[in-house]
Amino acid sequence: MIVAIDGPSGTGKSSTSRAVAEQMGLSYLDTGAQYRAMTWWMVHNGVDVSDPAAVAAVVDKPEIVSGTDPSAPTITVDGVDVSGPIRTPEVTAKVSAVSAVPEVRARITGLQRALAAAAAQGIVVEGRDIGTTVLPDADLKVFLTASPEARAARRSGELKGADVHTTREALIKRDAADSTRKASPLAKAGDAVEVDTTELTLLQVIECVVTLVEEKRAAK
């Protein structure tokens, strides 16, 4: 059972995906963490992330390993736990530029497909291009949306005191970058189920997706 959950930042993707994976006994993969890990490595090693050629030249160097246990997902780069460092504002500000480099997407997509293929019980994979590019044959595709205001409020809460207006502007800018990049843009797959989370609690979103998974399982 492969479940692809896509959507922009602040829609509840990560929390929903982890909870669904735990409830349904599936593995879990946060693909955004992999792109953040790649970005962290580039920054850490002094690579100019505004230069796509410089990024492409070293894309095969970092060893990125993702743990897929939904109760304790892990991410390491060259054996170092980077689950904290990849969430810094510096990485957040640069991840779109790194993610847009085709060679980066090819490398990370390969890792994602290998993890999905190795998940014996099935997996929930969350990101921005899972249903369209990474796993187009996923058993279930879900696309989460929410208003920019709702997303900004949630993200500001996560960032402890961040200004909601500034956060909203940053989210809109990130959406534009991710939706217009040439390599695997953020997009809803034609056969994805769209769930607008604006007026829903996290528990309601989780229940909705769990129901969709159960229906797919019953139909298999």
Side-chain angles (χ1 to χ4, degrees):
M1 183 76 187
I2 294 180
V3 181
I5 301 184
D6 289 307
S9 301
T11 53
K13 274 201 317 283
S14 295
S15 302
T16 300
S17 300
R18 280 186 66 177
V20 169
E22 282 200 79
Q23 286 189 36
M24 305 303 290
L26 302 170
S27 296
Y28 161 72
L29 177 60
D30 172 3
T31 63
Q34 295 176 309
Y35 285 104
R36 285 174 172 273
M38 180 69 80
T39 304
W40 174 85
W41 186 90
M42 296 284 173
V43 171
H44 191 68
N45 286 278
V47 179
D48 180 2
V49 300
S50 66
D51 180 354
V55 171
V58 293
V59 75
D60 289 323
K61 288 193 173 181
E63 183 190 10
I64 298 170
V65 178
S66 300
T68 57
D69 178 352
S71 63
T74 57
I75 181 96
T76 64
V77 178
D78 299 332
V80 177
D81 176 6
V82 293
S83 52
I86 63 172
R87 304 292 171 185
T88 61
E90 182 178 25
V91 170
T92 298
K94 294 177 176 177
V95 68
S96 277
V98 173
S99 303
V101 177
E103 290 83 357
V104 170
R105 300 208 74 80
R107 167 96 199 278
I108 300 289
T109 295
L111 295 177
Q112 293 162 0
R113 287 176 176 160
L115 285 165
Q121 303 304 314
I123 192 168
V124 178
V125 184
E126 59 123 327
R128 286 171 163 75
D129 65 339
I130 310 307
T132 54
T133 302
V134 181
L135 299 168
D137 296 324
D139 298 288
L140 172 65
K141 300 175 189 177
V142 179
F143 193 85
L144 299 183
T145 64
S147 70
E149 291 72 25
R151 292 164 53 210
R154 291 170 189 163
R155 187 47 56 92
S156 297
E158 291 170 12
L159 299 175
K160 306 280 189 299
D163 177 69
V164 176
H165 177 73
T166 304
T167 303
R168 179 179 178 276
E169 294 306 306
L171 286 173
I172 291 171
K173 186 177 177 184
R174 174 85 193 267
D175 289 351
D178 290 348
S179 301
T180 57
R181 65 173 177 241
K182 288 189 173 67
S184 304
L186 165 66
K188 176 189 167 190
D191 54 349
V193 179
E194 185 168 327
V195 179
D196 188 335
T197 70
T198 304
E199 302 293 337
L200 302 178
T201 65
L202 177 58
L203 280 176
Q204 287 173 322
V205 179
I206 293 166
E207 285 174 12
C208 174
V209 178
V210 164
T211 300
L212 291 170
V213 175
E214 288 174 338
E215 287 172 354
K216 277 290 179 184
R217 266 190 177 163
K220 281 190 98 173

